[in-house]
C-alpha cells in the first residue's frame, strides 16, 4: 500500500469538484428522509437514468411514508416491477410501518439501522443527507475510489478489507458537511473513477491517488472470489386474444417472487402454435445470465393455471422484470 493521502487536501479538492460537477437529480433537491430513502434503495440496484422514472412514479403513487405503509402489497410490487430485488420493496413496506408506528423517521444511525431492510449503507446515507450526522457511506463506487486512492491490495469481498475501507471512508469524511461529502464521493465513482475507464486526467483526487501514481489503476479494487456464471436459455410466449394477454401468477410460497405475474414459457404451453420471434434480450439475476427469446404465439384453449388479462390491467399488475422486458417496457 502507498502512503496515506493528505485527507484534508483531498477533501477540499473533492468538495470543489462536486460543487461544479454534480448532476441535478430530484432526490438531491430534498433532505426529507422518505424520498431520500426511496432513492437510496433504488440506486443500490439500478443506474441513475433507469431509476429516475421509477422514482418519480413511486412517489406519485406513494407520496408519504404513511401511504407506503398502507399500500396493498400488489400495488407496491406493481410500482417496483421491473426493478428486481423484490425483497427490498417488501422490506421497505415493513420499515414504513415501523416508521409510522414510531411517529416518524428516527434521527439516529443505530435507530435507522434497526428498521427492516436498512443496512449500514442506507442508514449512513439517510443519517448524513437528512440529519447531517457524520457517518461515511460505503457502496460499490466508494469502495472502488478508496481502493484506488490507497492502492489497497485486499480482496474487497472480504470483511477485513471492507472494515479497513470503511475506516478510511470515515477518516476521509468531512464531518462539517457529511451530506455533500458522501454524495460527492459516490458521484466521483459514478462519473469519473469508472470501473473500466477511469478518467484520471479529470479527477480532483489524482494528486492523492496511489494507484494512479503507481500506474496500476485497473488493478484495483481487488476482487478474488468470482462466482461462476450460469447461462440460462428461456423462450417466453406472447399470446394475445381480443385485447387480452395470457399470464400466470406465481403462487404464495415462491419466496421473493410470490405474487408476481409471468408470461408463459414454451414448455408450459405445449399446445401453443409459435409464430415469429418478437425480440431477444439478456437479463442477469445475480450470477444467472438469461438469454430470453420472445415469440408471438396462439393457442386454442388456455390450460388451467393461466389467466386472460385485459391489456390495460396488465400495466397495473406486478410483473416480473423478465415479463416486463419481454413486453418491451423495462430498461
Ligand atoms: S486518479 Fe484515477 S484511479 Fe485515482 S481516484 Fe481519480 S479516477 Fe480514480
Amino acid at each position: 500500500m502507498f502512503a496515506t493521502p493528505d485527507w484534508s487536501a483531498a477533501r477540499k479538492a473533492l468538495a470543489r469538484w462536486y460543487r461544479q460537477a454534480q448532476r441535478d437529480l430530484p432526490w438531491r433537491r430534498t433532505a426529507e428522509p422518505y424520498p431520500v430513502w426511496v432513492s437510496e434503495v433504488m440506486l443500490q440496484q439500478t443506474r441513475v437514468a433507469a431509476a429516475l422514472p421509477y422514482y418519480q412514479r413511486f412517489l406519485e403513487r406513494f407520496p408519504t411514508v404513511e401511504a407506503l405503509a398502507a399500500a396493498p402489497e400488489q400495488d407496491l410490487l406493481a410500482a417496483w416491477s421491473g426493478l428486481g430485488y423484490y425483497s427490498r420493496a417488501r422490506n421497505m413496506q415493513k420499515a414504513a410501518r415501523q416508521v409510522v408506528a414510531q411517529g416518524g423517521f428516527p434521527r439516529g444511525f443505530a435507530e435507522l439501522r434497526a428498521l427492516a431492510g436498512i443496512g449500514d449503507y442506507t442508514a449512513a446515507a439517510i443519517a448524513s443527507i437528512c440529519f447531517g450526522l457524520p457517518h461515511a457511506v460505503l457502496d460499490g463506487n466508494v469502495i472502488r475510489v478508496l481502493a484506488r486512492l490507497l492502492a489497497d491490495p485486499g480482496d474487497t469481498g472480504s470483511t477485513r478489507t471492507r472494515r479497513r475501507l470503511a475506516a478510511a471512508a470515515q477518516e476521509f469524511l468531512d464531518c462539517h458537511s457529511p451530506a455533500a461529502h458522501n454524495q460527492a464521493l459516490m458521484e466521483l465513482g459514478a462519473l469519473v473513477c469508472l470501473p473500466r475507464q477511469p478518467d484520471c486526467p479529470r479527477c480532483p483526487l489524482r494528486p492523492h491517488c496511489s494507484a494512479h501514481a503507481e500506474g496500476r489503476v485497473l488493478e484495483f479494487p481487488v476482487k478474488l472470489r468470482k462466482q461462476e456464471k450460469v447461462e440460462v436459455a428461456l423462450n417466453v410466449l406472447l399470446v394475445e386474444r381480443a385485447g387480452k394477454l395470457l399470464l400466470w401468477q406465481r403462487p404464495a410460497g415462491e419466496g421473493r417472487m410470490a405474487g408476481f405475474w409471468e408470461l408463459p414459457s414454451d414448455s408450459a404451453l405445449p399446445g401453443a402454435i409459435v409464430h415469429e420471434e418478437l425480440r431477444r434480450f439478456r437479463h442477469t439475476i445475480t450470477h444467472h445470465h438469461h438469454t430470453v427469446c420472445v415469440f408471438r404465439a396462439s393457442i386454442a384453449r388456455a390450460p388451467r393455471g393461466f389467466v386472460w388479462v385485459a391489456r390495460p390491467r396488465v400495466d397495473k399488475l406486478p410483473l416480473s422484470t423478465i415479463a416486463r422486458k419481454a413486453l418491451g417496457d423495462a430498461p
Side-chain angles (χ1 to χ4, degrees), residues 141 144 148 189-190 192-198 217-218 220-221 223:
N141 281 330
R144 185 170 59 257
R148 286 173 173 168
V192 177
C193 193
L194 301 172
R196 280 187 284 276
Q197 287 184 312
V217 168
L218 294 183
F220 304 98
K223 290 179 190 164

Side-chain angles (χ1 to χ4, degrees), residues 238 276-281 292-295 325-328:
L238 210 145
E276 78 275 19
E277 183 178 321
L278 295 172
R279 61 183 62 89
R280 176 181 287 244
F281 60 89
V292 185
C293 298
V294 188
F295 295 92
K325 282 186 172 174
L327 292 171

Side-chain angles (χ1 to χ4, degrees), residues 148 192-193 200 203 206 209 212 217:
R148 286 173 173 168
V192 177
C193 193
C200 300
C203 179
R206 186 164 41 105
C209 180
H212 182 264
V217 168

